[in-house]
Amino acid sequence: MMKALFIGLGSIGNRHSKNLRDICEKRGIPLSITALRSQHGSLRNKEFPQVDRMITELDEESYDLAFITNPTTLHAEAFQKVREKAKFFFVEKPVFADTSMTPEQIGMDDSNVYVAAPMRFCKTYAQLKKEVSMNNVFAVRILCSSYLPDWRPQQDYRQVYSARKELGGGVAIDLIHEVDYMVDLFGFSEDCFMIRGHYSPLEINTDDLCLLIARYADKAVEVHLDYFGRTYRRTCECFCEDGSIVADFGAGTVTRPDGTVIHCEEPVNERYIQEMERFIDFAQGKATNANPPSLAYKVLRLALEAET
């Protein structure tokens, strides 16, 4: 019997717990899921049929897996509460809301803690990485632009975590995927320059724009992240000698320098399924840690401070 604990059962915790249940059923792994929630949340357990048990306080139970899927500002506190109660840990991205503490300071170890990085498991990204490995890239333009009020139309955008600094919001860490895959593709740069702040009329107290320029020995990379683009765009353009490699994550396509378009369309949840598969393999000793906390923390420093 595999036993899993979820701390936080919001949209991402709900997604991960459902995927964990489905994967274990397919693999024939008996699974028990416990969710630690507030008193109010514990009364709504019928909304989560994949969860076997709701608790409002930690008990003497121990677990094989623990998922830290609560608000980013609470990640460190949650991990410290359960660090002795589970064997392996899945921490939702980003690892922390700021860089005031390191993973080592709270006992996060690369040997058993994974930090979420779902875009690395996206089919479009996998194809982009393959194309980059076969071409000499000398400049890169990474863009993620969307309109925050459109993210969750049923909610007041001013109340969601992205809009509130006290909950760990802000475009630089909300869209840290782009900085993460830049590092995954090219490593850490020699130096960086950043502009980050609140520039639009959006009624939020977090940064809505982050511009990062990274200089490597053989290339320059520019990253543009914003909350105010009225048309959703998520692209990566890599300039090569014979043309450009263009990954369009919204369309699910990668265009080669010769104009050939490779279709990589897939359901959004597929990347989360692939990520969960890899995490289970890691916990079972069948795979390496795809994103250890030491690396995730360096990426966080880069995204927030242009430093590693």
Side-chain angles (χ1 to χ4, degrees):
M1 171 70 73
M2 178 181 286
K3 295 190 295 184
L5 172 68
F6 278 79
I7 300 181
L9 210 57
S11 59
I12 193 63
N14 193 30
R15 181 191 292 273
H16 288 322
S17 59
K18 287 180 178 178
N19 288 341
L20 177 65
R21 172 69 67 186
D22 290 344
I23 292 168
C24 285
E25 286 182 358
K26 290 177 182 177
R27 293 190 178 192
I29 301 172
L31 174 69
S32 172
I33 296 179
T34 296
L36 176 65
R37 309 200 74 204
S38 66
Q39 181 65 40
H40 174 69
S42 68
L43 301 177
R44 296 183 285 114
N45 57 347
K46 290 184 180 179
E47 298 178 18
F48 309 101
Q50 75 276 18
V51 176
D52 300 288
R53 189 171 70 114
M54 294 279 190
I55 58 175
T56 57
E57 293 182 3
L58 288 172
D59 50 28
E60 298 302 312
E61 195 76 22
S62 59
Y63 301 89
D64 299 292
L65 312 175
F67 292 80
I68 310 298
T69 50
N70 55 353
T72 308
T73 51
L74 302 176
H75 283 182
E77 178 185 348
F79 177 79
Q80 288 175 304
K81 285 183 178 179
V82 299
R83 57 178 292 192
E84 303 298 333
K85 296 187 70 64
K87 298 174 183 176
F88 287 86
F89 300 86
F90 182 113
V91 180
E92 187 50 45
K93 67 86 186 171
V95 60
F96 302 133
D98 57 46
T99 60
S100 61
M101 70 177 71
T102 67
E104 292 80 9
Q105 287 175 326
I106 63 168
M108 279 190 179
D109 195 285
D110 289 358
S111 66
N112 67 343
V113 181
Y114 166 78
V115 181
M119 275 196 72
R120 294 202 215 164
F121 297 88
C122 167
K123 190 175 179 181
T124 302
Y125 175 68
Q127 186 63 44
L128 170 64
K129 190 172 184 178
K130 179 180 178 181
E131 299 299 327
V132 165
S133 71
M134 297 187 296
N135 288 272
N136 180 26
V137 176
F138 59 82
V140 182
R141 181 186 296 133
I142 294 172
L143 169 68
C144 188
S145 175
S146 60
Y147 192 48
L148 181 60
D150 290 342
W151 284 24
R152 302 173 181 87
Q154 72 281 7
Q155 292 181 262
D156 182 348
Y157 80 88
R158 292 164 293 191
Q159 300 304 315
V160 302
Y161 81 92
S162 300
R164 300 169 63 185
K165 187 175 182 179
E166 65 273 19
L167 296 182
V171 74
I173 54 177
D174 219 358
L175 302 178
I176 200 170
H177 302 285
E178 270 61 29
V179 180
D180 177 77
Y181 82 67
M182 178 189 78
V183 172
D184 188 55
L185 283 174
F186 307 115
F188 288 99
S189 59
E190 294 183 346
D191 56 81
C192 285
F193 175 76
M194 173 184 286
I195 296 175
R196 184 162 63 91
H198 182 192
Y199 293 88
S200 79
L202 289 172
E203 297 177 41
I204 62 178
N205 67 8
T206 55
D207 298 336
D208 59 14
L209 175 67
C210 178
L211 306 176
L212 180 71
I213 307 295
R215 183 176 65 176
Y216 293 80
D218 60 346
K219 67 178 63 67
V221 181
E222 53 183 307
V223 180
H224 175 114
L225 311 173
D226 74 59
Y227 278 155
F228 45 74
R230 296 303 181 99
T231 301
Y232 174 76
R233 288 178 294 168
R234 195 168 208 172
T235 58
C236 177
E237 183 173 9
C238 299
F239 297 89
C240 312
E241 182 178 353
D242 298 324
S244 296
I245 304 165
V246 181
D248 186 328
F249 294 98
T253 60
V254 176
T255 304
R256 288 173 169 160
D258 65 3
T260 302
V261 178
I262 303 169
H263 290 270
C264 309
E265 298 94 331
E266 62 182 350
V268 171
N269 193 48
E270 185 60 30
R271 70 190 63 172
Y272 295 98
I273 292 174
Q274 294 300 319
E275 180 179 45
M276 187 62 68
E277 293 264 17
R278 176 64 179 266
F279 175 65
I280 294 172
D281 287 344
F282 168 54
Q284 293 182 330
K286 300 175 182 178
T288 57
N289 191 346
N291 193 32
S294 60
L295 175 59
Y297 179 75
K298 289 182 69 176
V299 170
L300 180 65
R301 287 198 64 188
L302 181 61
L304 293 181
E305 304 168 2
E307 294 182 5
T308 58

